[in-house]
Amino acid sequence: MSQMVQTLITGTLVGGLYAVFSLGLTLPWGLLRVLNFAHFAYVFLFAYITYELAAVHHLDPLVALAVTIPFGALLGIVTQALTSKASLDTFGTLIATFGLFLILQAAMSLYWTNDLVRIPLTDNPYFVRAWHVGPYTIPFVYACAFASAVVLCVGSYFLLERSYTGKAIRAAVQDPQIAAAFGVNRVRVSYLIAGVAGTSAAVAGGFLAMLFALTPSGAQGWVAVVFASVLLGGLGNPRGTLGAAIIVGVAEAMTQRYVDPTLAKLTPLALLIVMLLVRPTGLFRPAVRIGQT
Amino acid sequence: MLAARRSLKLAGIALAASAMVLTGCAGGSSSGDNSSKHGADKSPIRIGSTLALTGPLAPTAIIHKVAGEQFVKQLNANGGLLGRPVEWIVRDDESSPETSASLYERLITQDKVDLIVGPYGTANISASMQVAQRHDMVFIHNSGTLVYAYTYKNQFPLYASGIKASQTGAETVFDAYASAPNPPKTVGFVVSKFPATNYLVYGHDGTPGALQVAKTKGLNVVLNVQYDVGNTDWSSIAQRVKDANPDLLFMGATGADGVGLLAALQQQGWTPRHQFYQFPAPGPMLGAGKIADGATTVTMFEPYEPYLSNTGAQDLVKLYPPAAKVAGIQYTVPDIQAALAWAQWQTLVAGVEGCKCLDQDKIAQTLEDTTVHTVLGDINFDPAQHNYYGDLSAIKQIQDGKWVVVYPKDKASNGATIR
Amino acid sequence: MTSTGPLAPSPLTRRPTAIKLAAAAAVLAVLALLPVIEGTGRNSSYLIVYLYFVFFWVTQSTSWNIFSGYAGYFSFAQGAFYGAGVYTTVLLVEHLHMSILLIIPIGGLVAGLTALLTGLIVFGIRSLSGEIFALFSLSLGLGFGVLANNVNAIDGGSGRVLGQVSYPAWLGSVNQMLYVLALVLAVATVFCARAIQHSRMGYGLAAIRDDEHVGGTLGVPTLRYKLMAFSIGAMFAGASGALHAVLINFVTPDAAFGQQVPFYVIVMSVIGGRRHWLGPVLGATLIYTTNDRLTNLGMVELNQILVGLLLTVVVVGLRAGIVVQLFRRPAATAVAAAVAVLIVEVTGRGGDVITTFAWAMLSGVAILLVPDRVYQMTVRHRPRWWRLGRLTAARDETASPPKPRVSGGLR
């Protein structure tokens, strides 16, 4: 029984990491109709930067977040500026950002090589730190990731649903021209969303560096999990993404624990396929109902 | 004429651009065969191979690179091969078998190398061997363990595991542990899907692997879990190991896998009582800290007697450590991996010098007919056993922060025994 | 939009002219005879190996384009079909020792049936949008990989050694056999793509691409065409994969179901042009040749950067791909290529045929990337014998009005 609870705990916390990762993909996709495939490369880029800061310059990885987050926001904004200038449809953005993804991945491979790099324990003491509550272990880094997921996702939710800015954003997505007539500055609003997406990339990258060994081709391994969380959660729906990511995380942890670690990769895929067949709009409501994509 | 000039202008733009790029790429192309100076006996003999210079296998492949470079350097200092200097062309296969095979194809058909040697890693070896077979080239390899698949006539293995590798290797391990002061009664298997480790634990087509052998030896198998090559998340596996609580942790590991698992186990607060790793990178294991104390693995060479008396051992022990240090390798002791590389080159030289030629079939014949003296010992490739010649495995263990050979008794360093 | 563009069905494009047929036949003849000329065994040339890969990628890209390009439904599932072909070979050789000539069609069949079944399930979804289908196809490809990685009957994760595959001896050495069969497959795929493009089904797929609902209302059998295109494309992908297994010879789930094939076919087809059968051919040849030359120099990462850059540039700038632009400036491109070849040969920088060819192609692409305004300015005064270029410019949907000619100058 306690094994099951431990698995639930681990799965939920891992889901937090997935949520942070997925937020940067779902917000631009749902609200700005930009499918930014390069987001995967962004996360790894910030992971590598965190590694560089921690392993080479001996900066505390958590402190490194303070450095990477502003750059993340900036990167998000720049991406948005470029994609909006290119005026592509959603698919076009997918392909164009895919090209960007290839470029970034190769650049990372050039600089950091294909070797697996990991922040040494001496520079990353958080890795082994864990809280022991009764028979249960709560790893420190995962808990931090979960906390930031809650902050980012719930924060985005409040931004979108409760604030005036959020209403402006949703109006701009539903009908840009009328929204503009009402005084919504579409450009600024889009930069805000992109900034949040970029921030989530930086945060996710930071935690990735603290938890895993990095290699440029590792980005591919996250595609299934992230797309599953994004689609299950409803496009552009931050709370939905958090919930969906937790579901994916728990399902994966259960498979790893009770079935087979290598089959764990199949779980998000299976969820994704079932979801696409049964409820393509996701378990949760998408942020904005748009007729035709 | 105006129009034609305009179009020429356009062509001119293209010209200028190509010229700029051309100068940028100056000296890059390697497609020329500069060794075809007819009649010049001093032209270099070109030997091609690939190594996993990047990727998950890199921590071990770098050892092969350094050892190979030192061997070639010494060879050239002593007059080269057949009186000609040797040039070793090594390409990065990025730990990928597909890349390795296609690079060998390039080396043979495009770069037209005279000889080839094998890459590092069973997967890469298995893939490239087929290319060698297609072009009828002698293929001497240092770490291939899929003995059942190596049916090519002209392949010569240096990883002396014997033709029943999965069985004899496992028996060595369990016999060694049976002689320990507190022999293990239960065993937990954590196995990488890497072909070599997979085969050694699960066997193939009638030959049992470690899993079966353990049961035959009376051990209780309490855990059997597989993971993908290049796995980086060890927490769930560590949790399962902790729950199963085996006396002996048998990890079919490559490279830095063991280190990763140990770190995760440390996080969980569980220390193995006995631990065996199949193909670990030796340096990182030492650096894993106190929890790695008592870790064992297979070896076929250590810089102590009786190995030091083997042909070439003195050279290896003298030349490898300083070069390894320069290359940035943490662990500069020449052990099994460096010795395998050295033996590989020794075999190649023996074949070529033996027939005094570069003809692939004659070299193969020479290797089959004569005894080859290497740092691993004297080898008689046995064509009846697909050129395998017996199991030379020994077990070494981390004791007080150093790797020490502990089994069998005649190979143990200073009479050390397994703990 | 498609009724006046360069790809419109018109007398000029529907039936190939005698010149085009002769040219195609000549090229094919050279390619077919190449393995005989180039030798075998240790003396075999790299050219055969290189061309095998070109044929392989041409087959893969064209087969992908039959559905995803013509119908507009981006599929990431190419890996699933290609991998299915690969493992068909592995299993058939291991258990039945079949000849490769038999295995290839079986591999194609397996992949085709998989596509058919998948299509039946997926295309029935009412609210299936392009993105959803793309993701579904992505999961399919990834899912197959995980399955192969875990089901011991297929692979189990440790890889399978293929060993010697039997084939009729008259095909020559292994490399020659691979070359010939790949050539046959490539020709078949491209031929099929061309036939579909100019057929009723091709128009139907184009209608689906433009607006599926409208097309369906107007009587286009969308489900049937989509299923057919999807399955035919998958079939060629599987057949090509079945042959490729011989080359890989040590098959792992990563090699068979990895991201390389699905991603690169998308890149090659998008860059080449998705609306015309020639697009994937050009894209595949260009990308693979550049890849090959850069690998020679050891610049694997630079290659990926260039490919990514090219992809982004083409998607943003040359939205329809290289092939459309090529039809607008055929002469200039040809001249550029010829000039490049001349220069390379004269300066002795070529080294071998492939490098020269690579330079020629890159020069051609450089011409195509020159923006319209600059191009019009520099070739404003075109002499008479380049009328072909004017003809295509006239049919060009985005052609600017004819500029005034300088009077008195030579025409």
Side-chain angles (χ1 to χ4, degrees):
Chain A
M1 186 56 205
S2 68
Q3 278 176 13
M4 168 89 74
V5 175
Q6 176 67 60
T7 313
L8 268 170
I9 294 176
T10 318
T12 311
L13 294 180
V14 169
L17 180 62
Y18 294 165
V20 179
F21 201 134
S22 310
L23 193 66
L25 190 71
T26 189
L27 284 180
W29 189 357
L31 300 173
L32 302 172
R33 311 312 292 162
V34 171
L35 227 185
N36 182 14
F37 198 88
H39 177 68
F40 293 95
Y42 290 170
V43 172
F44 265 75
L45 180 63
F46 286 114
Y48 268 108
I49 293 176
T50 310
Y51 160 80
E52 190 77 10
L53 289 170
V56 178
H57 300 286
H58 305 292
L59 184 64
D60 184 304
L62 282 179
V63 173
L65 275 177
V67 174
T68 54
I69 287 180
F71 280 106
L74 190 62
L75 187 59
I77 293 174
V78 166
T79 313
Q80 177 57 28
L82 291 173
T83 24
S84 59
K85 195 143 175 263
S87 59
L88 300 159
D89 66 335
T90 314
F91 243 142
T93 58
L94 172 62
I95 305 300
T97 52
F98 178 63
L100 185 58
F101 167 83
L102 288 177
I103 296 173
L104 280 174
Q105 194 182 43
M108 287 191 278
S109 184
L110 262 179
Y111 189 77
W112 283 286
T113 78
N114 279 335
D115 291 334
L116 284 166
V117 296
R118 182 190 272 270
I119 308 179
L121 278 177
T122 48
D123 294 305
N124 182 21
Y126 305 114
F127 182 71
V128 286
R129 206 184 287 183
W131 291 303
H132 296 277
V133 178
Y136 308 121
T137 313
I138 301 180
F140 176 73
V141 183
Y142 276 111
C144 288
F146 187 79
S148 23
V150 171
V151 165
L152 280 171
C153 291
V154 175
S156 306
Y157 164 75
F158 275 108
L159 176 69
L160 285 174
E161 294 286 324
R162 299 296 164 89
S163 75
Y164 184 77
T165 321
K167 291 202 172 77
I169 293 172
R170 286 185 292 140
V173 180
Q174 275 182 321
D175 198 329
Q177 278 121 343
I178 300 296
F182 274 86
V184 173
N185 186 340
R186 192 150 164 254
V187 172
R188 252 199 282 149
V189 145
S190 68
Y191 285 171
L192 180 61
I193 300 173
V196 174
T199 307
S200 96
V203 173
F207 285 121
L208 233 73
M210 283 191 250
L211 290 166
F212 305 115
L214 303 172
T215 181
S217 56
Q220 270 97 311
W222 289 85
V223 169
V225 167
V226 170
F227 274 113
S229 309
V230 166
L231 281 170
L232 274 165
L235 290 182
N237 181 350
R239 280 190 318 172
T241 308
L242 181 60
I246 291 176
I247 293 175
V248 171
V250 169
E252 216 185 35
M254 290 289 183
T255 320
Q256 255 176 351
R257 188 74 189 76
Y258 295 107
V259 185
D260 197 317
T262 49
L263 270 180
K265 283 199 205 135
L266 198 52
T267 322
L269 286 171
L271 283 171
L272 185 59
I273 292 177
V274 168
M275 179 54 39
L276 290 171
L277 291 176
V278 170
R279 250 184 91 112
T281 49
L283 281 176
F284 305 85
R285 221 173 15 93
V288 186
R289 291 285 172 77
I290 301 192
Q292 196 82 330
T293 46
Chain B
M1 265 311 120
L2 202 62
R5 205 172 350 131
R6 286 276 156 90
S7 62
L8 272 172
K9 208 192 272 187
L10 201 63
I13 298 174
L15 243 159
S18 343
M20 279 200 311
V21 186
L22 267 167
T23 24
C25 292
S29 175
S30 63
S31 58
D33 46 345
N34 50 9
S35 65
S36 58
K37 301 186 181 80
H38 301 291
D41 279 324
K42 289 300 172 188
S43 63
I45 296 182
R46 297 161 77 237
I47 304 180
S49 80
T50 74
L51 276 177
L53 300 177
T54 56
L57 296 176
T60 319
I62 181 87
I63 300 175
H64 287 259
K65 179 159 185 280
V66 170
E69 281 168 352
Q70 289 308 304
F71 185 93
V72 170
K73 199 160 138 203
Q74 188 200 37
L75 184 64
N76 283 333
N78 291 338
L81 200 56
L82 299 178
R84 295 163 62 183
V86 168
E87 183 191 339
W88 182 29
I89 304 169
V90 59
R91 297 270 157 83
D92 179 12
D93 62 32
E94 295 172 5
S95 304
S96 150
E98 230 190 323
T99 313
S100 179
S102 76
L103 282 173
Y104 271 100
E105 189 76 56
R106 253 176 232 269
L107 282 166
I108 297 173
T109 57
Q110 190 180 241
D111 302 324
K112 304 241 188 281
V113 293
D114 299 300
L115 300 162
I116 55 172
V117 288
Y120 167 69
T122 295
N124 297 18
I125 288 173
S126 311
S128 330
M129 190 184 297
Q130 304 276 354
V131 177
Q133 189 167 6
R134 246 178 253 164
H135 297 282
D136 301 314
M137 295 197 76
V138 168
F139 192 73
I140 302 168
H141 57 95
N142 54 51
S143 45
T145 41
L146 287 184
V147 296
Y148 59 86
Y150 300 156
T151 53
Y152 174 41
K153 197 172 64 71
N154 290 351
Q155 61 90 20
F156 295 93
L158 266 314
Y159 189 78
S161 57
I163 191 75
K164 284 193 182 284
S166 58
Q167 185 178 351
T168 53
E171 282 170 354
T172 311
V173 176
F174 293 121
D175 287 341
Y177 271 109
S179 68
N182 199 3
K185 297 196 188 47
T186 60
V187 58
F189 287 97
V190 177
V191 189
S192 165
K193 286 196 174 174
F194 189 67
T197 47
N198 191 64
Y199 162 63
L200 290 171
V201 171
Y202 300 111
H204 177 90
D205 230 8
T207 315
L211 192 70
Q212 277 292 81
V213 173
K215 290 185 190 158
T216 333
K217 298 260 173 198
L219 284 148
N220 198 11
V221 177
V222 295
L223 179 69
N224 180 11
V225 114
Q226 283 189 295
Y227 63 91
D228 288 320
V229 179
N231 180 50
T232 51
D233 182 20
W234 299 101
S235 38
S236 64
I237 297 180
Q239 202 179 352
R240 287 176 81 153
V241 172
K242 182 179 169 191
D243 291 335
N245 198 19
D247 286 332
L248 167 62
L249 171 64
F250 191 115
M251 193 180 184
T254 58
D257 291 346
V259 178
L261 180 60
L262 282 175
L265 283 170
Q266 197 171 12
Q267 197 184 34
Q268 304 265 346
W270 187 85
T271 311
R273 294 180 283 290
H274 300 291
Q275 38 183 324
F276 171 79
Y277 301 88
Q278 195 73 60
F279 299 119
M285 280 305 284
L286 284 179
K290 197 138 193 322
I291 192 171
D293 249 1
T296 55
T297 184
V298 172
T299 185
M300 291 174 188
F301 180 92
E302 293 296 314
Y304 316 114
E305 295 296 346
Y307 299 105
L308 276 181
S309 319
N310 293 336
T311 315
Q314 300 286 346
D315 292 330
L316 170 63
V317 170
K318 190 176 68 171
L319 295 171
Y320 176 79
K325 192 139 180 261
V326 166
I329 303 176
Q330 290 276 359
Y331 184 67
T332 58
V333 174
D335 69 346
I336 175 177
Q337 293 297 338
L340 286 170
W342 203 265
Q344 180 184 31
W345 284 95
Q346 283 177 310
T347 310
L348 182 67
V349 168
V352 173
E353 292 285 357
C355 81
K356 294 255 175 283
C357 67
L358 290 175
D359 179 84
Q360 305 293 327
D361 293 317
K362 292 212 187 97
I363 295 175
Q365 196 62 48
T366 312
L367 288 175
E368 280 173 24
D369 294 339
T370 61
T371 307
V372 181
H373 308 283
T374 71
V375 291
L376 302 172
D378 291 342
I379 298 176
N380 288 303
F381 295 106
D382 184 3
Q385 288 191 74
H386 294 311
N387 292 340
Y388 273 93
Y389 44 89
D391 194 329
L392 298 179
S393 332
I395 305 289
K396 66 176 176 182
Q397 184 174 44
I398 298 183
Q399 294 185 348
D400 306 322
K402 278 176 40 191
W403 284 106
V404 181
V405 181
V406 293
Y407 183 89
K409 254 217 274 252
D410 56 333
K411 298 221 167 90
S413 352
N414 297 331
T417 53
I418 192 165
R419 290 193 190 161
Chain C
M1 191 157 73
T2 46
S3 60
T4 50
L7 307 171
S10 79
L12 272 168
T13 52
R14 193 170 295 165
R15 266 184 342 273
T17 60
I19 304 175
K20 281 195 199 171
L21 266 177
V27 168
L28 281 179
V30 169
L31 288 176
L33 288 172
L34 215 48
V36 180
I37 306 170
E38 287 293 326
T40 73
R42 225 164 298 143
N43 295 320
S44 77
S45 135
Y46 181 66
L47 190 58
I48 303 289
V49 180
Y50 157 78
L51 280 172
Y52 165 81
F53 275 101
V54 172
F55 299 153
F56 169 73
W57 285 109
V58 164
T59 311
Q60 290 291 330
S61 316
T62 309
S63 65
W64 181 85
N65 200 49
I66 288 176
F67 177 67
S68 296
Y70 291 170
Y73 273 85
F74 258 67
S75 158
F76 283 90
Q78 188 76 0
F81 306 129
Y82 155 78
V86 171
Y87 273 102
T88 308
T89 307
V90 168
L91 293 174
L92 286 178
V93 167
E94 195 174 304
H95 297 294
L96 295 174
H97 302 290
M98 262 192 212
S99 157
I100 192 73
L101 287 185
L102 263 179
I103 297 180
I104 292 177
I106 297 179
L109 216 66
V110 168
L113 280 172
T114 313
L116 191 62
L117 282 169
T118 317
L120 278 169
I121 300 173
V122 173
F123 294 140
I125 300 174
R126 201 72 61 83
S127 55
L128 186 75
S129 72
E131 295 151 18
I132 303 297
F133 177 77
L135 281 170
F136 182 84
S137 61
L138 181 68
S139 345
L140 192 70
L142 291 172
F144 274 41
V146 177
L147 264 178
N149 205 29
N150 290 294
V151 175
N152 280 328
I154 302 175
D155 185 301
S158 59
R160 287 273 203 261
V161 179
L162 198 56
Q164 298 296 296
V165 181
S166 58
Y167 61 91
W170 55 267
L171 279 170
S173 71
V174 176
N175 280 357
Q176 287 175 322
M177 175 269 289
L178 285 171
Y179 176 95
V180 169
L181 293 180
L183 177 59
V184 168
L185 271 175
V187 168
T189 316
V190 172
F191 192 76
C192 190
R194 186 181 182 285
I196 291 179
Q197 184 184 331
H198 293 308
S199 72
R200 201 179 179 77
M201 179 166 140
Y203 305 155
L205 290 172
I208 292 173
R209 178 183 62 219
D210 288 338
D211 194 327
E212 190 167 351
H213 293 286
V214 172
T217 319
L218 289 176
V220 176
T222 54
L223 182 64
R224 188 174 3 132
Y225 283 168
K226 281 194 292 190
L227 278 176
M228 278 174 68
F230 198 41
S231 311
I232 292 175
M235 192 179 72
F236 283 115
S240 164
L243 180 63
H244 201 62
V246 178
L247 184 103
I248 308 176
N249 70 67
F250 180 73
V251 177
T252 57
D254 254 349
F257 294 109
Q259 279 96 0
Q260 207 207 10
V261 170
F263 284 3
Y264 268 81
V265 293
I266 296 177
V267 167
M268 289 170 179
S269 299
V270 168
I271 289 181
R274 292 190 290 137
R275 302 195 167 194
H276 193 271
W277 59 266
L278 194 57
V281 174
L282 291 176
T285 315
L286 175 69
I287 302 277
Y288 182 71
T289 310
T290 322
N291 181 350
D292 180 82
R293 293 295 92 188
L294 285 173
T295 310
N296 245 10
L297 298 173
M299 298 184 187
V300 176
E301 285 85 14
L302 180 63
N303 169 59
Q304 191 167 327
I305 291 178
L306 276 179
V307 167
L309 201 60
L310 201 55
L311 180 63
T312 310
V313 164
V314 167
V315 165
V316 173
L318 275 182
R319 258 166 245 198
I322 287 180
V323 72
V324 172
Q325 193 74 332
L326 178 63
F327 285 164
R328 294 170 60 201
R329 307 174 187 176
T333 317
V335 166
V339 165
V341 170
L342 249 148
I343 299 171
V344 167
E345 289 304 314
V346 162
T347 60
R349 278 296 193 167
D352 61 54
V353 175
I354 305 172
T355 314
T356 318
F357 184 51
W359 282 124
M361 274 198 298
L362 286 171
S363 317
V365 172
I367 292 295
L368 293 174
L369 288 175
V370 169
D372 267 337
R373 276 172 299 160
V374 176
Y375 183 79
Q376 290 297 335
M377 280 194 309
T378 48
V379 293
R380 193 192 308 179
H381 308 290
R382 276 184 269 180
R384 195 170 304 222
W385 57 86
W386 282 358
R387 189 165 292 155
L388 178 62
R390 284 188 62 197
L391 212 66
T392 52
R395 283 197 311 197
D396 191 344
E397 54 209 358
T398 59
S400 39
K403 303 240 183 330
R405 307 269 161 202
V406 169
S407 56
L410 260 181
R411 295 273 257 108

